[in-house]
Amino acid sequence: MVSHNKLSACCISHEFYRVATNNPNKIAVIQACGGLKIAKEFRLFCSENGEEETREKFQEFVSSKRTSVNPPVYEGDQCFTFSDVLSAVDYLSLRLRCILDGDDDPNLVKPSSVNMHQTANNCSSKDQSILGSSDRGLEQYTQLHKTYSPRIVGIYMEPSVEYIVSVLSILRCGEAFLSLDPSWPNERILSVISSSKADLILGYGSSVDRTCHQLDKLRWLIHKGSSPVFYMSIEDFIQKQSDSLLGWPCESERLRSFCYLMYTSGSTGKPKGVCGTEVGELYILENL
């Protein structure tokens, strides 16, 4: 484990804060929703003019739609400045901290006790043995490196500005994030959530309605999952004022043992949880 004082930036949270405060009005994220609209316009243009669709003509058509700003923005795109993202991260991280500490939240949906009981009964004996070995591995690692085991927060989203804000907010809380790809089979998602013992799942709220990522997939996860679900959209958090009293993760007496958790493809058997740190180290819990 590399000490944080050997890093050029003490932690990801501090580095993002530094960049955001130095460049508040610069574009940080472009939600590129205009591409689909441009493709449809190009096909219509070719059909009306009797022209063949080629890559060269498409690139020329796209260039004509490009704005002069840098990076380029197209009609239909949504732009978010560093100030937008920073305010959303500050606000969301504070709410996540309160939820993880046991407070209630209007955007939090808790699973019923019946669903949690059913999920626990559906775990196989092999699942239970994997969970047990993971716990022992974490205990050994934390004792050896004087670290703490972070809470795991799942992110059930497609790539989006909400995904970026979620990752930064979870890291700001001093916890670890777990990516849950909506394209995975439901059974795999439920298995990963159960195996990782995720404390919370973040997903899109109903106000998210963009052509590039329309998602209304939280209902099944709320119904069948064993973890509470917090739904959000960037529009709800931008320019929110929060007097955050959160300490910086790098200033804690003990560093977190990992900051993200991902699962292997499972090509050689059951997928395993692989933990990563801010300095790029990886380790598999079961092998400790």
Side-chain angles (χ1 to χ4, degrees), residues 111 196 238:
S196 66
I238 288 180

Side-chain angles (χ1 to χ4, degrees), residues 14-25 82-83 86:
H14 257 135
E15 180 64 11
F16 170 72
Y17 180 81
R18 182 189 66 79
V19 173
T21 52
N22 289 338
N23 306 277
N25 299 319
F82 277 103
S83 178
L86 179 58

Side-chain angles (χ1 to χ4, degrees), residues 190-207:
L190 292 176
S191 175
V192 168
I193 292 175
S194 175
S195 174
S196 66
K197 298 182 180 180
D199 292 275
L200 181 68
I201 306 298
L202 303 187
Y204 292 118
S206 58
S207 63

